[in-house]
Amino acid sequence: MKSTKQLISAAIMAEVFHYLAHDPMKNLPDLLDLADRFIVKKDFKAAAKLLREAAHDPENNINRLMQRFFHELNLTTQKKFLINFMVNAGIVGDSIIEKNKKKYQCNVPWAILFDPTAACNLKCTGCWAAEYGRGLSLDYSVMEKIVRQGKPLGIYMYILSGGEPTVRKKDILRLAEENEDCMFLSFTNGTLIDEEFASEVERIGNFAFALSVEGNEEETDMRRGKGTYLKVMEAMDILQKHGILFGFSTCYHSKNTATVGSEEYIDLMIEKGCKFGWYFTYIPIGKDAVPELLATPEQREYMYHQTRKFRAAKPCFVLDFWNDGEHVDGCIAGGRKYLHINANGDVEPCAFIHYSNVNIKDVDLIDALRSPLFMEYRRHQPFNDNHLRPCPMLDNPEILREMVDRSGAHSTQFEDSETVTELTAKTAAAAEKWAPVADRLWSEPRE
């Protein structure tokens, strides 16, 4: 059930959207001026100030991104994004989360990432999903439980991964429609997106997508299979046609970094309709892992500079899951900003950390957040004073070993269970090589 405060916020936002829709870029500064009277938190005030300044500058890349938002997205998506993401998952949700952190003395995340299924129609080189329990899926009742128990804690952002979430199109659309006050984002390989599915997403409005693409056709198909790249490009065309919010999700590794970090690549993604882009670096998880795909320190530094360059100049909001640790004070996992629930229901601190003490089928969400491994995360975060070395697996493997051992967490990989010692042995050398580069970057003046 929605709180009164949230119902009021939604009603106000509906009126705001009606006013905004007449002439978005002309009316936006006035609305931001009004909002500034009611916003208390410094982070939100800073964001409002940034948007207000951008709205007055047609050459500003944020202005150009806002123009794309209002001109390219359908009206239902615009409205749901502003209400569900900006207000419910943002301003309203944030205040509820802060209260619950104090009440329960544990981390409470901004978003929950969960896997509707471990099944996937592709078998990508180096992907752990193929050995992560392919036959497993969360019952709809379990997915509903996650959202139902998340909202009272202040969580209104839900992210789907897998496996391939669109294997279960009907269930994920039903979940979004039955929780119209939440925002949903699905990571997807894009190959199952068609006109019928896009029409339903357009109608519902509170669903966005991050499509996996790893460079040009040759580089994408190298890991994902022949013909995949063209199917992803077709999926982007369909989503753009229906005015649906989407972006790209790109794993950079030793074989593709020069391409995916290039200006030509980001320009193509913008041309195809992407409003955001999310970069991840390759992590060698599972028995089919390919350690040779780990990005070198030089490649990771290259991506560090490129993402900042793109954010300053391109009308597309670009993130780097690891290299942007400096903007969020280190690691965001372990419930600090997000957590992961796999297709078996195991509650894990991160999509890349496959260890757990509890299963969501057996415990309430708040109990999972207070489980031993999550409390270890809370006790150790941040894992490094240098937030360009945020990750307990990739950058500080000795800390991950300690946390898993102290908590007694078990491996959640079903067909290729590996101990934390075996896992971190594959990242130790990369951590050692990255450390001096990260320390040099960290010592440079911050913007």
Side-chain angles (χ1 to χ4, degrees):
M1 182 180 293
K2 297 179 184 178
S3 68
T4 303
K5 182 177 181 180
Q6 194 167 3
L7 285 169
I8 292 172
S9 297
I12 291 172
M13 283 302 297
E15 291 298 318
V16 165
F17 180 77
H18 180 72
Y19 171 70
L20 193 61
H22 289 295
D23 193 340
M25 298 309 294
K26 179 177 180 293
N27 294 335
L28 182 60
D30 292 339
L31 289 173
L32 289 169
D33 286 339
L34 178 63
D36 199 44
R37 299 182 192 175
F38 304 99
I39 295 174
V40 176
K41 196 168 181 179
K42 290 181 179 180
D43 290 349
F44 294 145
K45 278 190 172 292
K49 181 175 182 291
L50 186 68
L51 290 173
R52 187 163 53 248
E53 291 173 351
H56 288 293
D57 181 6
E59 301 302 315
N60 185 292
N61 66 302
I62 298 177
N63 182 297
R64 291 187 290 147
L65 179 56
M66 290 191 291
Q67 295 271 12
R68 295 185 64 211
F69 176 90
F70 291 117
H71 293 156
E72 297 178 24
L73 299 182
N74 68 67
L75 290 177
T76 303
T77 295
Q78 290 181 33
K79 182 178 179 180
K80 289 293 181 69
F81 180 83
L82 290 172
I83 295 174
N84 296 359
F85 184 81
M86 301 296 286
V87 176
N88 294 351
I91 299 170
V92 174
D94 182 78
S95 64
I96 299 172
I97 286 170
E98 289 303 316
K99 290 177 182 177
N100 281 309
K101 284 180 182 178
K102 294 177 182 177
K103 177 180 179 180
Y104 295 106
Q105 290 297 295
C106 66
N107 284 337
V108 178
W110 171 75
I112 293 178
L113 172 70
F114 66 90
D115 303 345
T117 180
C120 185
N121 60 318
L122 300 180
K123 182 175 172 58
C124 302
T125 301
C127 177
W128 70 80
E131 289 78 39
Y132 198 34
R134 287 181 73 91
L136 296 170
S137 290
L138 292 176
D139 289 342
Y140 184 82
S141 61
V142 177
M143 294 193 290
E144 188 275 333
K145 171 186 176 180
I146 293 168
V147 180
R148 172 168 44 83
Q149 294 190 351
K151 287 195 282 188
L153 294 174
I155 307 166
Y156 287 85
M157 183 73 203
Y158 295 89
I159 306 173
L160 282 56
S161 58
E164 172 49 47
T166 58
V167 167
R168 297 184 64 186
K169 291 178 180 178
K170 290 183 179 180
D171 282 337
I172 63 176
L173 289 175
R174 175 187 171 190
L175 190 67
E177 188 165 19
E178 290 182 353
N179 293 277
E180 60 178 1
D181 53 347
C182 295
M183 191 70 199
F184 292 83
L185 167 71
S186 177
F187 287 101
T188 174
N189 63 40
T191 61
L192 300 179
I193 291 175
D194 55 23
E195 288 284 349
E196 181 181 359
F197 178 64
S199 294
E200 282 297 285
V201 174
E202 179 181 0
R203 179 181 65 82
I204 295 170
N206 60 337
F207 222 127
F209 299 88
L211 282 76
S212 298
V213 58
E214 299 195 20
N216 57 33
E217 183 173 1
E218 179 182 357
E219 290 165 328
T220 298
D221 289 359
M222 177 195 79
R223 283 195 67 203
R224 297 181 172 271
K226 187 173 177 58
T228 302
Y229 178 84
L230 294 179
K231 289 181 180 178
V232 175
M233 295 300 104
E234 181 183 359
M236 287 185 177
D237 291 341
I238 292 171
L239 294 174
Q240 181 73 342
K241 171 186 172 183
H242 286 268
I244 295 166
L245 179 62
F246 71 93
F248 66 89
S249 171
T250 294
C251 175
Y252 64 91
H253 51 75
S254 61
K255 307 296 184 184
N256 73 344
T257 299
T259 299
V260 301
S262 68
E263 191 164 350
E264 291 76 14
Y265 180 74
I266 193 75
D267 286 343
L268 174 62
M269 294 296 100
I270 293 170
E271 180 185 332
K272 296 299 293 185
C274 293
K275 310 298 186 296
F276 64 90
W278 212 333
Y279 285 108
F280 299 85
T281 194
Y282 176 73
I283 299 293
I285 301 170
K287 68 182 181 182
D288 282 348
V290 184
E292 293 77 16
L293 287 176
L294 276 164
T296 66
E298 293 77 16
Q299 289 171 324
R300 189 167 168 182
E301 180 180 5
Y302 169 73
M303 293 302 299
Y304 171 87
H305 292 300
Q306 290 300 96
T307 52
R308 283 149 182 77
K309 176 182 174 183
F310 295 154
R311 276 201 291 265
K314 303 293 182 180
C316 181
F317 187 67
V318 178
L319 299 150
D320 185 317
F321 193 72
W322 275 268
N323 282 339
D324 279 334
E326 65 176 322
H327 299 301
V328 289
D329 297 329
C331 173
I332 64 171
R336 181 170 166 261
K337 293 294 181 182
Y338 98 107
L339 59 79
H340 179 240
I341 302 173
N342 70 17
N344 186 51
D346 298 305
V347 186
E348 304 166 336
C350 177
F352 302 99
I353 306 292
H354 298 165
Y355 300 93
S356 178
N357 295 109
V358 294
N359 191 292
I360 196 64
K361 299 172 189 173
D362 305 322
V363 302
D364 287 341
L365 181 59
I366 190 61
D367 295 322
L369 287 164
R370 301 174 77 180
S371 64
L373 184 54
F374 278 76
M375 295 307 287
E376 285 292 318
Y377 260 72
R378 184 171 186 260
R379 185 166 69 88
H380 282 82
Q381 286 169 325
F383 300 112
N384 200 302
D385 291 336
N386 180 344
H387 297 325
L388 296 179
R389 298 169 60 189
C391 180
M393 175 172 57
L394 187 62
D395 303 317
N396 307 278
E398 70 286 350
I399 297 180
L400 180 61
R401 288 194 297 270
E402 178 188 343
M403 292 193 299
V404 172
D405 288 343
R406 283 175 59 93
S407 67
H410 61 85
S411 172
T412 54
Q413 292 179 193
F414 301 97
E415 298 179 32
D416 67 337
S417 176
E418 60 184 348
T419 68
V420 68
T421 300
E422 292 170 331
L423 171 63
T424 54
K426 293 184 289 188
T427 63
E432 185 177 355
K433 292 176 182 177
W434 172 245
V437 179
D439 289 345
R440 170 174 51 80
L441 291 171
W442 190 247
S443 68
E444 294 174 355
R446 321 313 301 163
E447 292 183 359

